[in-house]
């Protein structure tokens, strides 16, 4: 596994904090939880994707348990969301931007680690996406909501783009800090543009409730 450059590691920690904060805020809005519940869901959001990835590639113990700064920042984000939830809503746009940064960095680092473990191109891209969206999916499932990745059009797509670019750079042997930041920037840009312009991937045609049911035969 290539060691993360310091700027990328700093962004990774920033993303962990942002995911913990945003994940806990999402939990606060969805259901009424106590302090423990909010912090736990914040930590699951921040750490869950990387945990799944490391278990699947047999990189144990998971990195999020070996590096204290990860779980500490995730817990701090959850605590802040619990204590300041009303006030944090005023800066929701800034938190969303931090969340997009976390999505981008997690996709890049996840794909990098998966490919370095010996996996092929497609599985590495997949695990990059899982790293980015896995924690939020677990959180939404626990609060009995449809996961964000399944109902928000441009959430998995940016992670997929970032992970795919990372694998491409690694295969071309040009991976480094500039390449990693470029892949993360593409993911971030797609996510932010999707939010700004309300872009979505195609959805299946809805069946109109006003459609007439087939008439039955009179008895």
């Amino acid at each position: 596994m290539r060691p993360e450059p310091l700027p990328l590691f700093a962004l990774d920690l920033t993303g962990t904090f942002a995911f913990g904060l945003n994940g806990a805020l999402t939990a606060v809005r969805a259901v009424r939880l106590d302090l423990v519940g909010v912090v736990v869901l914040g930590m699951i959001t921040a750490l869950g994707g990387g945990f799944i990835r490391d278990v699947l590639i047999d990189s144990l113990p998971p990195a999020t348990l070996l590096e204290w700064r990860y779980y500490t920042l995730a817990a701090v984000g959850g605590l802040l969301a619990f204590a300041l939830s009303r006030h944090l809503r005023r800066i929701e746009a800034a938190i969303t931007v931090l969340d997009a940064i976390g999505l981008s960095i997690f996709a890049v680092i996840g794909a990098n680690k998966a490919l370095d473990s010996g996996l092929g191109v497609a599985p590495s891209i997949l695990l990059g996406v899982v790293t980015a969206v896995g924690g939020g999916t677990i959180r939404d499932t626990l609060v009995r909501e449809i996961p964000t990745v399944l109902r928000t059009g441009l959430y998995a797509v940016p992670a997929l783009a970032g992970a795919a670019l990372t694998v491409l750079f690694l295969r071309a042997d040009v991976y480094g800090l500039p390449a990693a930041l470029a892949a993360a920037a593409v993911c971030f840009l797609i996510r932010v543009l999707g939010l700004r312009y309300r872009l979505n991937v195609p959805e299946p045609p809805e069946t109109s409730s006003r459609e007439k049911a087939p008439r039955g035969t009179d008895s």
Side-chain angles (χ1 to χ4, degrees):
M1 172 69 182
R2 297 169 177 82
E4 293 177 23
L6 184 58
L8 202 61
F9 179 63
L11 285 174
D12 193 18
L13 293 177
T14 301
T16 299
F17 172 76
F19 265 31
L21 181 63
N22 203 29
L25 278 175
T26 301
V28 168
R29 294 170 189 152
V31 289
R32 187 174 181 84
L33 299 174
D34 62 12
L35 173 62
V36 174
V38 171
V39 173
V40 166
L41 285 183
M43 293 183 71
I44 286 174
T45 306
L47 308 177
F51 200 97
I52 295 170
R53 176 204 64 219
D54 288 349
V55 169
L56 291 176
I57 65 176
D58 199 26
S59 178
L60 301 173
T64 51
L65 298 182
L66 294 175
E67 173 55 67
W68 65 270
R69 281 169 284 198
Y70 285 115
Y71 53 79
T72 299
L73 284 172
V76 170
L79 286 170
L80 282 177
F82 180 85
L84 305 173
S85 59
R86 293 181 181 178
H87 304 288
L88 289 174
R89 290 178 183 177
R90 299 174 184 173
I91 57 170
E92 189 167 355
I95 295 173
T96 301
V97 170
L98 287 176
D99 185 74
I101 291 174
L103 181 81
S104 307
I105 297 300
F106 285 5
V108 169
I109 292 175
N112 177 21
K113 189 168 184 178
L115 193 65
D116 273 1
S117 73
L119 293 180
V121 170
S124 296
I125 294 173
L126 176 61
L127 283 188
V129 176
V130 168
T131 304
V133 307
T137 301
I138 298 172
R139 175 206 62 214
D140 292 343
T141 302
L142 289 175
V143 298
R144 294 185 292 182
E145 285 200 343
I146 298 174
T148 302
V149 68
L150 299 181
R151 56 185 167 85
T152 300
L154 292 185
Y155 199 74
V157 170
L160 181 65
L165 276 175
T166 300
V167 172
L168 176 64
F169 288 141
L170 284 165
R171 284 293 192 183
D173 201 26
V174 295
Y175 186 79
L177 180 59
L181 292 178
V186 169
C187 177
F188 177 81
L189 185 62
I190 295 173
R191 175 61 177 155
V192 170
L193 288 176
L195 290 169
R196 174 65 179 83
Y197 296 104
R198 301 178 183 272
L199 302 176
N200 287 293
V201 296
E203 298 178 355
E206 294 182 355
T207 302
S208 174
S209 59
R210 291 175 294 181
E211 287 180 355
K212 294 181 179 181
R215 293 182 179 178
T217 56
D218 294 331
S219 54

